[in-house]
Amino acid sequence: MKKGDMISKQTTIALFLLAFSPSAFPADTLQIDQNITDGQTLFSPNSIFELGFFSPGSSTNRFVGIWFAVSPDTVLWVANRDSPLNNTSATLKLNKTGSLLLYDSSGRIVWSPRTRSSSGINSPILQLNDSGNLVVKDQTTNSIIWQSFDYPTNTLLAGMKVGKNLRTGFETYLSSWKSRDDPSEGDYTYKMDTQGAPEVITWDRSEISSRTGIWNGQYFSFAPQTLTYSNLLNFHFVLNQDEVSYTYELKSTSTITRLVLNENGLIERFVWDQSHQNWNLFWLQPVDECSNFAKCGPFGICQRDGIKTCSCLRGFEPVTPDEWSMRNTSGGCKRTVPLGCSTNSDGFYRLGGVETPYSHDAIVDASISIEECKRRCLMNCSCVAYTPLDIRGEGSGCVMWNTELVDTKYVIGGQDLYLKVSKSELGRSNKKKSATIVGVISSSLILLLLVSLLVYLLWRKKIRHSRQDIKERHLAQSNSLKGADVPVFDLDTVLQATDNFSITNKLGEGGFGLVYKGQLPCGQEIAVKRLSMDSLQGLNEFMNEALLITKLQHRNLVRLLGCCIDNNERMLIYEYMTNKSLDYYIFDATRRATLNWTTRLEIVIGIARGLLYLHQDSRFNVIHRDLKAANVLLDEQMNPKISDFGTARLFKREQGIINTETVIGTRGYMSPEYVLEGAISIKSDVYSFGVLLLEIISGKKNQGNQNLLAYAWKLWEEGNSYKLLDEAVKCSVSETEIRRYVQMALLCVQECPEDRPSMSAFFTMLLSDTLLHDPKKPLVGTRIRGFPSDWSLYQQSYEYDSTAGDQLTITGIEGR
Ligand SMILES: *[C@@H]1O[C@H](CO)[C@@H](O)[C@H](O)[C@H]1NC(C)=O
Ligand SMILES: *[C@@H]1O[C@H](CO)[C@@H](O)[C@H](O)[C@H]1NC(C)=O
Ligand SMILES: *[C@@H]1O[C@H](CO)[C@@H](O)[C@H](O)[C@H]1NC(C)=O
Ligand SMILES: *[C@@H]1O[C@H](CO)[C@@H](O)[C@H](O)[C@H]1NC(C)=O
Ligand SMILES: *[C@@H]1O[C@H](CO)[C@@H](O)[C@H](O)[C@H]1NC(C)=O
Ligand SMILES: *[C@@H]1O[C@H](CO)[C@@H](O)[C@H](O)[C@H]1NC(C)=O
Ligand SMILES: *[C@@H]1O[C@H](CO)[C@@H](O)[C@H](O)[C@H]1NC(C)=O
């Protein structure tokens, strides 16, 4: 979209809002004999906040909510989140005993919050104050009867608390919306864990989704960067006998900010940009491999963007090295040298720059010094680590862990954790240090000697390495050849299951061979991929690669059940997917109506998950090479499962990328660099994924001449992205949302691989409201040398003719 368009659009929206702006309620308070009806709103004294009726997203249900007056679309609190109204004839009232009541037109009470005992209340009044708190108070005693800040929904405003009153047990916490269209309570909550050393935990139902680490006096241990916005906000953490709570306050009253637990469980802070009239994403809780709770197991430590994600803490080694080397790190680490349990044998290793481990079972004493903390930990055999409760100054207070250390992470600027290890483990680094000192003071002669020694050492290391390599390779091979991990089916079983590969059982045809449906004697349905015979690897490589595919297990990948080898026949046996493949639905005039928007979005998320796993989370960094709608299979619940992954690896490496008979990759999904230079990387998969996303949105197929890309780009430029959306799902999704998905898809199909996001970056875009880059024009319609097909000769402008189905209408041709 061009800037100019944007501005004129905003003006139109502003005018529109002005024309239809709901009538403001006469005063900023509501008395007992008054009411607020749909269309009226209540403002806070300085008109910062507004309360009224709204419909979220594309829903038509009505809710009572509070929003910033500058941004009516962003609702911060919802009254009747679990009891939607279905028309605009409801009324909000306050009764004599201070209860807020929301009536529908038939006089039924739809929503009413519980208040404290009503005795002795004389003249209640409802007020929305300038911090966004909706308060019912008694005018005579000025006491608060009820306030919305005690019942947050998904947003934490300045002055609101997340915490627990330890005397009454009353908890204040955030809970996510179900979806953008449904404010009812979703899967995620953001709660203070008051056990052990308190920290805030985001729960995905009953599982930990993310943690903040302990409050160390200055910041939550996981986010040292919050220190840097002390010019904007002040954070407060209260920990005493009465309560544990966390709040923030604004440094300047003109700052407009909110912290949101979104419907995907992400924590985001937004700040209002007055000059551009939009919300800037200020901070986002990182999502990456380390976000999975206890990813590296007990005594493991997780590192974002490192070469290795998981490693063992100092003095520890993997419990099961085999599992660990396959990147199944959940088993964690064990001590290399046991603790002697005495002051002589044990010491502490300072592990710097970390987020504290899960502290639910930690022991806290705020009153002792850090020296005393160290002493206690050393004395107590079961203590494994400690850290000061407050890191300010010299550090004070004490947090001790007597259990396994779980979910420790490296964070930039993080705090220190003191790890109890055997003194023999501490010695190791000291030796290195003294060697350096010797090096510094030595004469040039010694230096020369050292250099030669170094050269010798390096040379030896290299030799050792290559030996190690050979040994490892050898091991891997012999392991796989035992075949223990890849179930082998005999040919007779497969022939029987598929009725001798009967044509009626044929499911489809891929770049690698034909696929047949079959049924094993036990009743299990299978899909058999019979690999074409001409271009196969040798037996060993085939087995090794098949082993690899069996190791790739993810709920969004089709599972390989086994293989079958007989003479020149090579077959892969997969689980059978009842709902066929995605192309069967989205490109079919009637069937595509059965995929509503939510299902489509879930399919997109599933594919993205599977691809992220292939690219990054599995050990093997697999590039799919042929991601397309036909390779996304659907199970009975319509969960997408990527198929054909890893198959490319079964073919000879040196095989040409473009082979006129068997093109690996499918026209329309292949990235320019793949087509032009045969260059392939995970970013070529991202390109295919982008094309697929556009197809899922539009229900139209991208042809070899990239017409869908061209069409999507044209609409994007005109600011008409919503038009791309499949007619069959219109109405159930908002225009802004679609524009965002189209933008994400266009970013995926950028010409330069570097301009495309990685799948993990894509995931962040998908799950959060981060601002997206503007995409550049994708490469379309230009002649690409060497491509054996119909890339168009012309620079064209494209238009889909809706009456002609998927046919392309060329509206303008400029010869080139
Ligand atoms: C709301 O108040 C108006 C006057 O302030 C009154 O006319 C109307 O009947 C009231 N509505 C309800 C449902 O009580
Ligand atoms: C509104 O909801 C009520 C039940 O809550 C239902 O009986 C009524 O038919 C609905 N009205 C409309 C217009 O959907
Ligand atoms: C006000 O509403 C509450 C909740 O419905 C009810 O318990 C209470 O009796 C009402 N008070 C009066 C005076 O009607
Ligand atoms: C509005 O919906 C309520 C139920 O939620 C129903 O009782 C009432 O009759 C409806 N009013 C109108 C005008 O449709
Ligand atoms: C809003 O209400 C709360 C609770 O009564 C109070 O602590 C706060 O100071 C009020 N804020 C403003 C701006 O009036
Ligand atoms: C991962 O390793 C643990 C033991 O270390 C084992 O129990 C578990 O089954 C393994 N998981 C997978 C998916 O291989
Ligand atoms: C050592 O820690 C354990 C576990 O918390 C505790 O029960 C025990 O009392 C401690 N022992 C000493 C001597 O502090």
Side-chain angles (χ1 to χ4, degrees), residues 554-624:
H554 187 271
R555 67 190 146 120
N556 296 112
L557 300 182
V558 174
R559 209 155 67 83
L560 181 71
L561 300 174
C563 64
C564 172
I565 303 168
D566 196 277
N567 287 322
N568 280 330
E569 285 278 4
R570 304 283 149 82
M571 282 164 262
L572 292 170
I573 291 130
Y574 292 96
E575 58 180 338
Y576 175 72
M577 293 290 126
T578 37
N579 275 323
K580 305 218 162 69
S581 53
L582 186 57
D583 61 337
Y584 180 73
Y585 287 89
I586 53 172
F587 302 140
D588 183 87
T590 48
R591 281 189 287 264
R592 72 178 182 221
T594 63
L595 290 189
N596 63 21
W597 179 250
T598 318
T599 315
R600 288 184 198 216
L601 194 56
E602 264 158 19
I603 289 173
V604 170
I605 294 173
I607 302 170
R609 281 216 173 95
L611 209 51
L612 179 65
Y613 174 82
L614 284 179
H615 286 179
Q616 185 182 320
D617 290 348
S618 71
R619 182 167 81 109
F620 312 96
N621 307 112
V622 175
I623 302 169
H624 189 296

Side-chain angles (χ1 to χ4, degrees), residues 601 604 686 689-690 693-694 697 716 737-750 757 761-768 770 772-773 775:
L601 194 56
V604 170
V686 173
F689 177 76
L693 179 52
L694 287 175
I697 293 171
W716 166 259
E737 215 174 317
I738 288 303
R739 195 174 316 133
R740 190 173 163 89
Y741 292 123
V742 171
Q743 187 172 3
M744 290 193 289
L746 287 171
L747 287 172
C748 289
V749 298
Q750 294 291 285
F762 180 86
F763 231 84
T764 308
M765 294 193 233
L766 190 67
L767 299 186
S768 72
T770 20
L772 304 180
H773 295 295

Side-chain angles (χ1 to χ4, degrees), residues 84-89 104-108 110:
L85 295 159
N86 59 9
N87 56 42
T88 57
S89 46
D104 68 15
S105 56
S106 59
R108 198 172 57 94
V110 176

Side-chain angles (χ1 to χ4, degrees), residues 363 380 382 402:
I363 292 168
N380 194 335
S382 50
N402 287 322

